[in-house]
C-alpha cells in the first residue's frame, strides 16, 4: 500500500529561525510530489510541486523543497519563518495519475 | 476566473440519514476529486471523476457515491450516515490533459459534516 509519512505532527519555532518539515513516501515508481498549506478554517492551498526537472522547487513566499529519490523524501524548508507562516502543512503524492495520498500533516507554530 | 466552491458550508445530519454535498469546479477544469478529512488527519481520497466518469476510487464503501455533470460541477452522496462520517469533505478540481499526465489540484473550502 502507498503511504506518505510526515514525521513531525507539530513543529514549534521562533520567528526568523529556519525550519524543516519532513516528508517521506513509499514508492518505487515515478511519483509527483506536492506540499499544501491549510490555514485555520480554510481549504488546502498549493504551496509547491515537483512534477519533473530540477529536484529543487521553490514557492513564491520563500519555501523550498527538494525531491530526493534515493531517500524517497520531499522535505520542506524555509530559511527564516514569519508569524504568518503558522498553519498546517500537508505533503501529498500523486500515484497512478489519479490518486493523491496525503500525509497526516505538520502543524507549524511560529512564536514571536 | 472563479475558484472551487462548495455548498453547504456546514451541515448537521442524524445517523442513518443521507446527505448530498455539492462542488463547482474551477472554470475550465474537467476533473474533480473528493476527499474526507477527519479531525487531526490528512485528507483521504474518496474518488475522482474525469469527464463525467469515475476514474479512481479510494478505500471507501459503496454508500459513498458521486456524480459529475456536463458543466463539471459535482456531487458527493453518502447514504446511511454513520457517526464516523463526521468530517470536513473537500472537493478538488484540476485540468487533466490525458490519462498519463501529472496535474495539480485546486481545493475548495470544504463542507463540515457533523453526524449525531
Amino acid at each position: 500500500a502507498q503511504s506518505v509519512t510526515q514525521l513531525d505532527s507539530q513543529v514549534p519555532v521562533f520567528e526568523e529561525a529556519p525550519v524543516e518539515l519532513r516528508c517521506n513516501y513509499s514508492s518505487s515508481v515515478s511519483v509527483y510530489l506536492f506540499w499544501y498549506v491549510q490555514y485555520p478554517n480554510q481549504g488546502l492551498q498549493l504551496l509547491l510541486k515537483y512534477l519533473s526537472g530540477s529536484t529543487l522547487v521553490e514557492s513564491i513566499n520563500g519555501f523550498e523543497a527538494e525531491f530526493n529519490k534515493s531517500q524517497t523524501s520531499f522535505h520542506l524548508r524555509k530559511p527564516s519563518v514569519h508569524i504568518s507562516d503558522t498553519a498546517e502543512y500537508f505533503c501529498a503524492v500523486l500515484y497512478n495519475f489519479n490518486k493523491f495520498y496525503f500525509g497526516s500533516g505538520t502543524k507549524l507554530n511560529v512564536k514571536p | 476566473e472563479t475558484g472551487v466552491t462548495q455548498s453547504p458550508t456546514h451541515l448537521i445530519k442524524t445517523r442513518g440519514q443521507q446527505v448530498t454535498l455539492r462542488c463547482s469546479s474551477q472554470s475550465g477544469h474537467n476533473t474533480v476529486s473528493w476527499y474526507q478529512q477527519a479531525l487531526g488527519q490528512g485528507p483521504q481520497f474518496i474518488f475522482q471523476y474525469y469527464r463525467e466518469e469515475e476514474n479512481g476510487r479510494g478505500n471507501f464503501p459503496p454508500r459513498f457515491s458521486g456524480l459529475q455533470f456536463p458543466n463539471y460541477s459535482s456531487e458527493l452522496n453518502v447514504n446511511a450516515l454513520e457517526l464516523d462520517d463526521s468530517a470536513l469533505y473537500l472537493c478538488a478540481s484540476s485540468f487533466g490533459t490525458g490519462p498519463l499526465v501529472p496535474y495539480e489540484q485546486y481545493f475548495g473550502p470544504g463542507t463540515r459534516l457533523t453526524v449525531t
Side-chain angles (χ1 to χ4, degrees):
Chain A
Q2 312 296 354
S3 67
V4 179
T5 303
Q6 292 184 243
L7 298 169
D8 306 296
S9 59
Q10 296 194 49
V11 173
V13 64
F14 286 105
E15 195 173 17
E16 297 184 5
V19 71
E20 178 180 80
L21 307 184
R22 296 178 290 172
C23 173
N24 288 85
Y25 63 92
S26 65
S27 176
S28 60
V29 299
S30 296
V31 296
Y32 305 96
L33 301 157
F34 305 80
W35 276 98
Y36 282 86
V37 58
Q38 188 174 38
Y39 298 100
N41 300 314
Q42 294 188 26
L44 295 162
Q45 299 175 29
L46 179 65
L47 187 61
L48 47 75
K49 63 189 178 190
Y50 169 77
L51 300 182
S52 65
S54 173
T55 58
L56 183 65
V57 291
E58 299 178 352
S59 72
I60 59 172
N61 57 352
F63 283 94
E64 65 179 31
E66 186 163 19
F67 169 51
N68 188 320
K69 188 174 182 178
S70 62
Q71 297 186 6
T72 60
S73 69
F74 191 54
H75 301 332
L76 181 69
R77 302 184 183 95
K78 189 170 185 180
S80 176
V81 294
H82 301 288
I83 295 287
S84 59
D85 294 325
T86 295
E88 189 158 18
Y89 293 79
F90 292 92
C91 179
V93 181
L94 173 61
Y95 288 118
N96 201 38
F97 299 96
N98 67 352
K99 293 190 179 102
F100 276 78
Y101 288 85
F102 283 81
S104 55
T106 298
K107 291 182 179 177
L108 177 64
N109 183 17
V110 182
K111 305 174 183 179
Chain B
E1 181 180 284
T2 58
V4 181
T5 60
Q6 293 185 243
S7 62
T9 306
H10 296 88
L11 199 54
I12 299 175
K13 288 286 191 177
T14 303
R15 189 171 51 183
Q17 286 187 315
Q18 179 266 343
V19 69
T20 297
L21 310 182
R22 294 179 173 82
C23 170
S24 289
S25 297
Q26 187 163 316
S27 177
H29 286 185
N30 57 11
T31 305
V32 65
S33 301
W34 284 90
Y35 294 84
Q36 180 193 69
Q37 186 178 16
L39 201 60
Q41 297 183 23
Q44 300 292 315
F45 175 73
I46 302 175
F47 45 58
Q48 180 186 87
Y49 280 80
Y50 173 66
R51 295 184 174 177
E52 302 176 57
E53 298 282 335
E54 188 175 295
N55 185 43
R57 190 176 183 91
N59 189 27
F60 280 81
R63 60 190 184 84
F64 285 79
S65 63
L67 283 173
Q68 186 184 31
F69 300 101
N71 64 357
Y72 299 129
S73 64
S74 174
E75 286 181 356
L76 165 66
N77 298 290
V78 187
N79 294 321
L81 284 167
E82 301 176 0
L83 296 178
D84 285 348
D85 295 333
S86 294
L88 180 68
Y89 287 85
L90 296 166
C91 161
S93 76
S94 52
F95 180 71
T97 58
L100 298 179
V101 179
Y103 53 89
E104 58 194 67
Q105 295 184 120
Y106 296 87
F107 282 82
T111 293
R112 174 75 61 188
L113 173 64
T114 301
V115 182
T116 61

